[in-house]
């Protein structure tokens, strides 16, 4: 009996363990800096986009909320950090904390609007809130700088030690560290009983209620966490580029982050990061060919992904990764614990 | 002694349609109480009212003497009122062990823990394994539920409710759609449920009702036609005309 | 005041014609389609090309715009959209956003980013003084034409065989199929008609709303508002929602220009929270 319980516990926690390829992945991302020192700014943009996509995954992949307005939280975070840096509170850590709190507050308040209603209603409400924030930022141009952007940000050195350099070295290490820490936290969250209950609510909220799980509190919690993550991504973007303009709240940003996540894989912690890497490579390559019409190719990728079936593509990719890292052992795709 | 579950003058209207018509029920502790009635008698609406999926137009519901009319579905579950579904409602991509683990953690108040990995609480896993073994699911602990054969899914449907440690368990056609050879498993499980758990059985299958229930309430057109012991109901001429008669035509 | 109300009604009527196809595909068939504006764009561009380049009279171009968008819609439905009816809402969102992005970039590439202008006949350019306000004849023309269209659509849905087939197909496709209704064809025709109306709306609205490659994105939110606020009660809900939005938008931009758009979005969110199924719902829903 005890043996079978221990066995069951081992089986249940098996897929949640830190694997070799994850270590490799993070070491490789560190190694990029000395290998391509002049690309550090680009790398930090990728890390930030990866974090933003991870934040979307928390609600879309793990809780099933389709949002067309996730840029709202990115934008709030960016403006909070940007305004603080402009008005003398340029400490990056403080900026991140304030941005996370600000975005979380707005996420918490607006999450109650998403509890009732269908996918379509949620889509509209998230879109509507992002548009309202965009309009507000546009109207209060005296504070936000409007379309021209926020002028005169002064970002202090990270932890008072590492000042931001022109090549983006500090920017990259700083963004990568935050991404790593928040990924570890997200790992904890999605593999915990709380994370499991989110998947239950997503799969069947009727039954989740019937075994005593309150869908509403779970959705409010994860939406707030996700908003905080997006706020941090926005703040990182503001601090590393010293630039915030209306663009941070644009509809395009909400649509792009969805594409990033879908490319990399929905409901998988590394999906957002992988997606950000592929997206940036694509952008780099395609924008070189037709810089003005880059949008066309985004659209084409979306259409093709849906027609081919993004889930299928990714489960093959993941089986491949699994086969490489766990040589010889055959894994059933369903046991990877995602849908 | 207070009853386990009572309703007082429960009414539910949908627009002009009266789906539940002044239903006053009293279900004794430890009873095996069946609710029967032809299609459209309002059984589904009644179960939705009892569990809090729907709010009544008027009337009250008491669980163990406490008024639960206004509280939410999941709070009623925490107070011991649990149901199963006529159509399986299981978590397709979770395993049976994960599904039961959720229900058990939630009952222990650890369902929102976010700092520890699910499956590391030995007490929860041990209880889940024990319950699943008892329900004949010990050999499929780690298989995603949508890969299980229908009969096993049906057992899981009931196990999931049982893992909530109900005081009152509402079983909505537990044997619906189950092939003959697997029905025995379900009936055996039903008969082995602890005697102190109050069971409310909503069922079409008269054979199961008469062999399992000790008391029967007959619903017609949203209201109670009659209530009595198994023998009384079997002899009741009105029940034969509205229910058994119709059943014979099917 | 009269002018604002009048402009608002004309704007609302236009929105109705533009969005009523969506009411059926999105509101009733539950297919999330964000690319509806692309078909309006097609109608607007065809009309611009025909009046400017080919010199065809405006009135003749209107049915042509309808036809062009309808055929385009029919092809798109057959080749692409049909595969998505049964897919997840996420897939539908991704796919139709993809279509919008492709349309915007392709039109920009092929024709250019400048605004298209439509050559209106002189008699439509006149302004009248009426009830103490100044009223454009073109807006009056739009109101009359769209009003007739609204009545025609309502009649089509409630009094024809096609209308009852559509209602049956939307309510329960499986049962409808069992009754021998060619559900796929009914949906295809509906989709094509909706796209055609959007094209007509694009042609009519090009002069008022402005027609450039970003039209499908700029007006996406307006279509969505009309459909979701209109609810699932059928075409009349859409009609009133469109009028309401048209008047509110024009009045808002006139009286409180600083926060005009903000008010619209806030109203939409408020309606969706208070009435998640829209302002006008079918009675007796559970």
């Amino acid at each position: 009996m005890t043996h079978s319980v221990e066995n069951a516990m081992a089986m249940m926690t098996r897929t949640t363990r830190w694997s070799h390829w994850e270590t490799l992945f993070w070491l490789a991302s560190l190694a990029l800096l000395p290998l391509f020192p002049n690309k550090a700014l680009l790398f930090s943009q990728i890390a930030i986009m990866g974090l933003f996509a991870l934040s979307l995954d928390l609600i879309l992949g793990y809780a099933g909320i389709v949002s067309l307005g996730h840029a709202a939280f990115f934008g709030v975070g960016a403006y909070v950090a940007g305004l603080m840096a402009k008005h003398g509170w340029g400490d990056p850590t403080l900026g991140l904390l304030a941005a996370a709190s600000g975005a979380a507050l707005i996420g918490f308040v607006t999450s109650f609007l998403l509890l009732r209603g269908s996918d379509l209603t949620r889509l509209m409400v998230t879109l509507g809130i992002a548009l309202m924030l965009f309009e507000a930022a546009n109207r209060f141009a005296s504070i936000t700088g409007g379309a021209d952007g926020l002028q005169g940000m002064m970002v202090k050195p990270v932890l008072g030690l590492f000042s931001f350099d022109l090549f983006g070295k500090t920017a990259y290490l700083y963004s990568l560290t935050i991404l790593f820490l928040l990924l570890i936290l997200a790992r904890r969250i999605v593999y915990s009983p709380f994370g499991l209950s989110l998947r239950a609510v997503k799969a069947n909220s009727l039954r989740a209620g019937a075994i005593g799980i309150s869908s509403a509190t779970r959705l409010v919690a994860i939406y707030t966490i996700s908003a905080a993550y997006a706020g941090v991504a926005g703040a990182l973007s503001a601090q590393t580029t010293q630039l915030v303009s209306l663009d941070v709240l644009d509809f395009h940003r909400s649509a792009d982050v969805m594409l990033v996540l879908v490319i990399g894989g929905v409901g998988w912690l590394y999906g957002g990061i992988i997606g950000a890497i592929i997206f940036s490579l694509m952008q780099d390559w395609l924008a070189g060919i037709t810089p003005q019409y880059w949008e066309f190719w985004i659209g084409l990728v979306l259409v093709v992904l849906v027609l081919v079936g993004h889930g299928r593509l990714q489960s093959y990719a993941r089986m491949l990764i699994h086969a490489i890292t766990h040589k010889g052992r055959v894994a059933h795709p369903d046991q990877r614990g995602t849908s | 002694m207070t009853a386990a579950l009572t309703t007082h003058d429960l009414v539910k209207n949908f627009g002009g349609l009266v789906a539940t018509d002044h239903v006053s029920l009293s279900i004794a502790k430890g009873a095996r109480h069946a609710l029967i009635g032809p299609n459209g008698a309002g059984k589904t609406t009644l179960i939705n009212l009892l569990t809090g999926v729907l709010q009544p137009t008027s009337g009250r519901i008491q669980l163990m003497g406490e008024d639960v009319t206004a509280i939410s579905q999941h709070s009623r579950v925490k107070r011991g009122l649990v149901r199963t579904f006529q159509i399986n409602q299981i978590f397709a991509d979770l395993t049976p062990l994960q599904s039961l683990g959720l229900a058990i953690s939630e009952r222990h108040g650890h369902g929102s823990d976010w700092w520890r990995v699910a499956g590391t609480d030995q007490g929860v896993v041990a209880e889940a394994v024990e319950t699943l073994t008892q329900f004949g699911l010990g050999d499929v602990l780690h298989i995603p539920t949508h890969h299980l054969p229908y009969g096993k899914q049906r057992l899981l449907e009931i196990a999931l409710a049982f893992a909530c440690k109900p005081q009152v368990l509402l079983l909505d056609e537990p044997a619906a759609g189950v092939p003959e050879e697997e029905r025995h498993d379900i009936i055996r499980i039903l008969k082995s449920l602890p005697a102190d758990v109050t069971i409310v059985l909503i069922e079409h299958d008269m054979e199961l009702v008469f062999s399992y229930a000790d008391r029967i309430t007959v619903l017609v057109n949203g209201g109670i036609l009659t209530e009595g012991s198994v023998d009384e109901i079997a002899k009741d001429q009105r029940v034969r005309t509205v229910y058994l008669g119709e059943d014979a035509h099917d | 005041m009269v002018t604002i109300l009048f402009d608002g009604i004309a704007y609302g009527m236009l929105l109705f014609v533009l969005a009523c196809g969506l009411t059926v595909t999105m509101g009733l068939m539950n297919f999330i389609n964000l690319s509806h504006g692309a078909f309006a764009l097609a109608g607007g561009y065809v009309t611009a090309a025909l009046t400017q380049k080919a010199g065809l009279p405006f009135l003749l171009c209107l049915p042509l715009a309808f036809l062009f968008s309808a055929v385009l819609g029919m092809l798109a439905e057959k080749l692409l959209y049909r595969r998505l009816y049964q897919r997840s809402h996420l897939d539908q969102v991704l796919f139709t956003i993809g279509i919008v992005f492709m349309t915007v970039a392709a039109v920009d590439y092929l024709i250019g980013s400048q605004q298209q202008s439509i050559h209106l006949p002189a008699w439509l350019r006149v302004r009248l003084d009426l009830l103490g306000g100044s009223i454009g004849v073109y807006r009056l023309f739009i109101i009359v034409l769209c009003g007739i269209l609204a009545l025609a659509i309502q009649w089509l849905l409630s009094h024809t065989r096609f209308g009852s087939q559509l209602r049956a197909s939307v309510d329960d496709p499986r049962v409808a199929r069992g009754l021998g209704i060619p559900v796929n064809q009914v949906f295809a025709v509906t989709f094509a008609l909706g796209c055609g109306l959007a094209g007509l709306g694009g042609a009519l609205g090009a002069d008022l709303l402005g027609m450039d490659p970003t039209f499908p994105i700029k007006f996406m939110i307006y279509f969505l508002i009309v459909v979701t606020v209109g609810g699932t009660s059928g075409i009349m809900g859409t009609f009133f929602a469109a009028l309401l939005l048209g008047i509110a938008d024009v009045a808002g931009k006139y009286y409180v220009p600083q926060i005009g758009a903000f008010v619209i979005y806030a109203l939409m969110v408020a309606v969706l929270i208070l009435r998640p199924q829209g302002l006008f719902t079918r009675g007796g829903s559970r």
Side-chain angles (χ1 to χ4, degrees):
Chain A
M1 184 69 208
T2 334
H3 173 70
S4 72
V5 169
E6 272 162 17
N7 195 22
M9 289 170 72
M11 279 293 280
M12 213 172 156
T13 53
R14 190 175 55 101
T15 52
T16 66
R17 255 176 265 134
W18 189 265
S19 76
H20 300 310
W21 72 263
E22 286 182 279
T23 314
L24 264 175
F25 176 86
W26 291 103
L27 286 177
S29 58
L30 266 180
L32 281 177
L33 195 56
L35 286 176
F36 308 96
N38 53 347
K39 291 269 185 188
L41 270 177
L42 174 71
F43 294 153
S44 72
Q45 291 310 302
I46 295 178
I48 292 166
M49 198 189 291
L51 178 61
F52 186 32
L54 170 63
S55 85
L56 181 65
D57 204 14
L58 288 177
I59 55 167
L60 179 62
Y62 292 93
I65 300 172
V66 184
S67 165
L68 262 188
H70 210 51
F73 307 117
F74 186 92
V76 168
Y79 274 115
V80 168
L83 285 169
M84 283 176 67
K86 184 185 173 179
H87 293 103
W89 291 292
D91 181 62
T93 323
L94 193 66
L96 285 191
L97 286 174
S101 318
L105 181 68
I106 292 188
F108 176 75
V109 172
T110 54
S111 67
F112 292 92
L113 311 179
L114 301 174
L115 296 180
R116 292 201 295 162
S118 59
D119 279 351
L120 181 58
T121 329
R122 286 173 169 179
L123 208 89
M124 295 290 300
V125 171
T126 50
L127 179 61
I129 289 162
L131 285 168
M132 279 161 72
L133 286 173
F134 182 88
E135 283 301 320
N138 193 19
R139 293 304 166 204
F140 295 103
S142 53
I143 301 170
T144 62
D148 298 333
L150 209 54
Q151 305 295 326
M153 282 171 61
M154 295 286 286
V155 183
K156 295 193 176 124
V158 179
L159 301 171
L161 297 171
F162 312 100
S163 50
F164 287 99
D165 55 296
L166 274 177
F167 307 102
K169 205 178 119 206
T170 310
Y172 178 54
L173 289 176
Y174 173 52
S175 308
L176 191 69
T177 310
I178 300 295
L179 173 65
F180 179 73
L181 292 176
L182 288 182
L183 184 112
I184 300 284
L185 181 63
R187 258 185 86 91
R188 292 249 93 159
I189 293 173
V190 303
Y191 291 138
S192 70
F194 170 77
L196 200 58
S197 71
L198 283 177
R199 283 171 59 195
V201 169
K202 181 189 171 199
N204 191 336
S205 69
L206 178 69
R207 189 56 192 252
I211 60 171
I213 295 171
S214 157
S215 305
T217 50
R218 302 294 153 90
L219 291 182
V220 168
I222 195 65
Y223 200 72
T224 307
I225 295 170
S226 163
Y229 267 59
V232 171
L236 283 177
S237 164
Q239 292 170 348
T240 55
T241 60
Q242 316 248 340
L243 187 80
V244 185
S245 73
L246 276 182
D247 170 64
V248 292
L249 286 163
D250 198 82
F251 169 71
H252 248 285
R253 193 174 288 275
S254 300
D256 284 353
V257 72
M258 203 177 242
L259 171 63
V260 165
L261 179 59
V262 169
I263 292 176
V266 180
W268 180 47
L269 282 172
Y270 285 85
I273 303 175
I274 305 282
I277 296 169
I278 299 174
F279 184 85
S280 298
L281 289 177
M282 258 174 28
Q283 195 171 31
D284 209 38
W285 175 56
L286 289 171
I289 308 171
T290 51
Q292 270 172 285
Y293 310 110
W294 148 243
E295 209 180 33
F296 180 84
W297 303 106
I298 297 189
L300 188 66
V301 170
L302 279 169
V303 167
V304 170
L305 268 178
V306 172
L307 287 181
V308 177
H310 46 92
R312 210 184 328 157
L313 282 180
Q314 281 134 19
S315 67
Y316 289 142
R318 251 176 283 166
M319 274 162 69
L320 192 69
I321 293 176
H322 200 76
I324 294 167
T325 49
H326 298 74
K327 275 176 299 215
R329 266 197 283 156
V330 183
H332 200 282
D334 289 310
Q335 293 180 346
R336 302 292 299 159
T338 49
S339 58
Chain B
M1 179 176 145
T2 52
L5 185 64
T6 52
T7 67
H8 304 277
D9 255 345
L10 208 58
V11 176
K12 178 68 186 177
N13 297 330
F14 293 115
L17 179 81
V18 184
T20 305
D21 190 4
H22 298 279
V23 168
S24 295
L25 269 176
S26 178
I27 292 165
K29 275 185 187 157
R32 299 288 182 265
H33 196 127
L35 288 174
I36 64 171
N39 278 327
K43 300 182 301 257
T44 308
T45 305
L46 184 58
I47 206 171
N48 284 336
L49 289 172
L50 292 174
T51 52
V53 173
L54 291 174
Q55 273 297 307
T57 310
S58 66
R60 283 185 301 128
I61 301 164
Q62 283 181 310
L63 177 66
M64 301 295 166
E66 183 196 0
D67 193 317
V68 295
T69 318
I71 69 173
S72 64
Q73 185 191 8
H74 56 89
S75 310
R76 292 185 203 194
V77 174
K78 299 228 158 83
R79 286 167 170 78
L81 178 64
V82 186
R83 71 174 291 186
T84 67
F85 292 83
Q86 184 186 344
I87 298 162
N88 284 344
Q89 302 288 344
I90 51 182
F91 308 116
D93 50 343
L94 301 190
T95 65
L97 187 60
Q98 286 174 323
S99 308
L100 259 76
L102 273 174
I104 295 164
S105 303
E106 193 60 39
R107 200 182 75 230
H108 290 308
H110 301 313
S112 312
D113 288 2
W114 58 268
W115 54 88
R116 86 189 153 74
V117 172
T120 51
D121 185 327
Q122 191 165 4
V124 170
V125 177
E127 192 185 328
V129 171
E130 190 191 330
T131 307
L132 286 166
T133 310
Q134 185 190 338
F135 276 77
L137 295 164
D139 52 342
V140 293
L141 294 179
H142 304 290
I143 296 176
T145 57
H146 65 274
H147 286 313
L148 298 178
Y150 181 79
K152 295 259 180 196
Q153 291 187 358
R154 202 68 196 145
L155 286 165
L156 178 63
E157 171 72 39
I158 301 168
L160 207 43
F162 187 71
C164 300
K165 281 247 166 83
Q167 292 184 289
V168 178
L169 179 58
L170 308 177
L171 296 168
D172 194 354
E173 301 194 25
V178 178
E180 193 54 39
E181 57 270 28
E182 287 171 354
R183 284 176 66 87
H184 301 297
D185 288 337
I186 298 211
I187 292 169
R188 179 179 55 78
I189 295 280
L190 293 186
K191 294 204 164 153
S192 71
L193 293 175
D196 59 337
V197 176
T198 310
I199 308 265
V200 180
L201 177 71
I202 288 97
E203 192 44 87
H204 256 313
D205 179 345
M206 284 304 115
E207 200 187 328
L208 179 57
V209 168
F210 286 120
S211 71
Y212 188 67
D214 47 29
R215 212 159 167 82
I216 298 175
T217 299
V218 185
L219 290 170
V220 174
N221 295 329
I224 293 178
L225 177 74
T226 182
E227 192 196 309
S229 68
V230 174
D231 289 344
E232 285 163 0
I233 297 297
K235 284 182 202 134
D236 194 312
Q237 199 55 46
R238 290 172 304 166
V239 176
R240 276 173 188 271
T241 33
V242 300
Y243 191 81
L244 301 177
E246 187 179 296
D247 200 37
H249 286 294
D250 279 350
Chain C
M1 179 63 199
V2 173
T3 315
I4 290 166
L5 192 66
F6 193 74
D7 286 1
I9 293 174
Y11 185 26
M13 290 279 204
L14 261 182
L15 284 177
F16 167 73
V17 171
L18 281 165
C20 71
L22 252 198
T23 305
V24 179
T25 48
M26 194 154 90
L28 301 181
M29 283 160 62
N30 201 14
F31 166 62
I32 297 186
N33 180 7
L34 304 178
S35 59
H36 194 66
F39 297 96
L41 182 87
Y45 269 72
V46 161
T47 311
L50 289 178
T51 55
Q52 294 287 0
K53 303 243 166 67
L56 289 182
F58 177 66
L59 289 185
L60 178 65
C61 292
L62 293 180
L64 290 178
F66 175 87
L67 268 181
F68 182 73
S69 294
V71 170
L72 207 62
M74 200 172 68
L75 289 176
E77 201 268 354
K78 257 205 156 52
L79 295 174
L80 299 170
Y81 290 86
R82 177 175 295 176
R83 302 156 188 254
L84 289 152
Y85 291 157
Q86 303 303 325
R87 299 282 283 276
S88 71
H89 284 151
L90 175 63
D91 279 356
Q92 295 173 353
V93 167
L94 293 169
F95 183 84
T96 54
I97 288 187
I99 297 279
V100 170
F101 283 178
M102 285 171 75
T103 310
V104 170
V107 170
D108 193 348
Y109 175 71
L110 294 171
I111 303 170
S113 61
Q114 72 280 15
Q115 197 155 16
Q116 297 295 304
S117 64
I118 293 210
H119 185 74
L120 290 178
W123 62 273
L124 280 174
R125 296 188 170 279
V126 180
R127 290 193 81 85
L128 296 174
D129 285 324
L130 208 72
L131 303 164
S134 166
I135 283 169
V137 169
Y138 185 54
R139 287 187 168 77
L140 191 65
F141 172 74
I142 286 179
I143 293 180
V144 172
L145 186 63
C146 294
I148 294 171
L149 276 173
L151 290 174
I153 295 164
Q154 174 67 15
W155 177 81
L156 179 76
L157 289 178
S158 56
H159 285 88
T160 63
R161 199 174 129 74
F162 175 74
S164 51
Q165 286 188 337
L166 175 61
R167 275 178 285 131
S169 306
V170 164
D171 273 350
D172 193 333
R174 279 210 325 235
V175 171
R177 262 191 204 102
L179 293 171
I181 296 173
V183 174
N184 286 347
Q185 267 158 284
V186 169
F187 283 165
V189 171
T190 310
F191 197 91
L193 281 179
C195 291
L197 285 169
L200 180 61
L204 282 172
D207 197 57
L208 255 61
L209 310 175
M211 186 57 71
D212 64 43
T214 60
F215 182 87
I217 294 184
K218 265 195 287 192
F219 282 86
M220 179 178 83
I221 180 74
Y222 283 85
F223 301 153
L224 290 172
I225 293 175
V226 169
V227 173
T228 43
V229 172
T232 53
S233 65
I235 221 75
M236 289 324 278
T238 314
F239 184 73
F240 288 117
L243 276 189
L244 213 64
L245 177 64
I247 295 169
D249 199 32
V250 171
K253 282 186 178 138
Y254 184 82
Y255 288 114
V256 279
Q258 305 85 9
I259 54 162
F262 192 86
V263 169
I264 295 294
Y265 303 142
L267 271 177
M268 173 195 79
V269 171
V271 167
L272 287 173
I273 292 154
L274 298 173
R275 302 285 308 255
Q277 304 300 318
L279 274 185
F280 310 93
T281 47
R282 277 187 280 199
S285 68
R286 289 192 223 184

